[in-house]
Amino acid sequence: MTMLVDSLFRYPVKGLTAEPLKAADLEAGRAIAWDRAFALAQGDCGFDPAAPAWRPKAEFLCLARDPEAVRLDCRFDDAAGLLTLIAPDGAAIDASPLTEAGRSQLGTFIAAALPGSMRGTPRFRHVSGHSFSDHRNQVISLIGLASLRALEAAAGAPRHPLRFRANLYFDGAEPWAELGWVGRTLAIGDARLRVTARIDRCAATTVNPETRARDANPVKDLMTHFGHIDCGIYAEVLAPGRIAPGDTIILLS
């Protein structure tokens, strides 16, 4: 059965809403452009913009610890360099996350919109070339839709794919087949990706991206019905290329 890319997403601000993509130009060793490019560092965060390095997600505004973040909408216009945030009460801001002044405005706006999620004095962060991923390296996350359908069948209820905040959703594989691809290489157009790890899931998946409420426990469902808490895989880009929905995915031998 042919495997095809179903949909592509990026998440410009760590923990905030997804943006669908018509295509993505992948670069070797890099995440999708502007994916997790911005983050709100909590007051107790150890991130140093002068020496950017991976930090645990709990040090930032994140759905696993701050489910209220799902109520804040965001859109990033990379051509204009402007980030739009819309608070639950309808208040909105357009500011540049690429300037110190703009980041200050955005941080103040988020703190006012989600006061219960703040610890200390938060700072909105961006460092060119850095991705605030949950993974220590810059990767692309992929999930087979057949696996999600298997999870829905076992749980007896729908589970919106964006609960799992993947970059690429694909169809045409057997349920959970992707979990066995670690170490294998995928060809998508001219791009080549090496699968590096399975994705173990956390409390972020309890948040429904449509209703914006915590209404399920996919981690428990995974363990109960399948004996693990993994859903999806991480892959490192080896060779660059443009990918888009409808592209064929080939698992190389």
Side-chain angles (χ1 to χ4, degrees):
M1 189 172 182
T2 302
M3 294 189 293
L4 299 174
V5 177
D6 178 81
S7 52
L8 291 172
F9 296 89
R10 70 181 182 187
Y11 306 80
V13 181
K14 185 177 183 67
L16 300 191
T17 49
E19 287 185 343
L21 299 173
K22 294 180 179 179
D25 292 309
L26 302 185
E27 297 181 28
R30 298 293 302 273
I32 285 178
W34 303 108
D35 186 54
R36 280 86 171 184
F38 315 109
L40 187 78
Q42 299 281 12
D44 55 4
C45 181
F47 181 76
D48 180 1
W54 180 87
R55 300 295 304 177
K57 62 188 171 186
E59 295 188 11
F60 303 90
L61 182 72
C62 68
L63 283 178
R65 187 164 179 169
D66 313 297
E68 299 83 3
V70 76
R71 301 171 61 212
L72 194 63
D73 286 320
C74 80
R75 296 190 300 272
F76 180 58
D77 182 340
D78 43 298
L82 284 177
L83 183 68
T84 298
L85 299 178
I86 304 173
D89 63 1
I93 184 175
D94 294 297
S96 173
L98 308 178
T99 68
E100 187 61 41
R103 289 192 290 273
S104 178
Q105 293 173 332
L106 291 163
T108 298
F109 182 87
I110 296 174
L114 305 172
S117 296
M118 299 300 105
R119 304 193 303 275
T121 303
R123 297 285 300 275
F124 196 83
R125 296 295 194 187
H126 168 68
V127 176
S128 180
H130 183 76
S131 177
F132 293 95
S133 172
D134 288 352
H135 196 276
R136 289 180 177 271
N137 302 316
Q138 294 205 25
V139 289
I140 312 295
S141 56
L142 305 88
I143 295 181
L145 292 176
S147 301
L148 295 185
R149 289 192 289 268
L151 177 60
E152 289 179 323
R159 296 289 182 258
H160 195 288
L162 288 182
R163 282 182 186 270
F164 300 91
R165 301 178 65 78
N167 295 125
L168 188 157
Y169 294 87
F170 66 92
D171 217 344
E174 292 297 318
W176 313 114
E178 62 270 25
L179 298 185
W181 295 350
V182 176
R184 301 287 298 276
T185 298
L186 306 176
I188 310 176
D190 291 332
R192 297 292 183 270
L193 296 83
R194 181 175 58 222
V195 180
T196 59
R198 295 159 56 144
I199 304 175
D200 57 319
R201 292 300 170 175
C202 68
T205 60
T206 65
V207 181
N208 187 323
E210 291 186 308
T211 65
R212 308 197 179 209
R214 272 187 162 170
D215 62 1
N217 191 341
V219 174
K220 181 179 179 181
D221 292 337
L222 285 165
M223 181 56 72
T224 298
H225 299 290
F226 302 102
H228 59 75
I229 60 170
D230 300 332
C231 186
I233 50 177
Y234 287 123
E236 175 190 9
V237 180
L238 299 177
R242 169 165 285 206
I243 63 173
D247 284 353
T248 300
I249 300 175
I250 300 172
L251 182 64
L252 300 181
S253 60

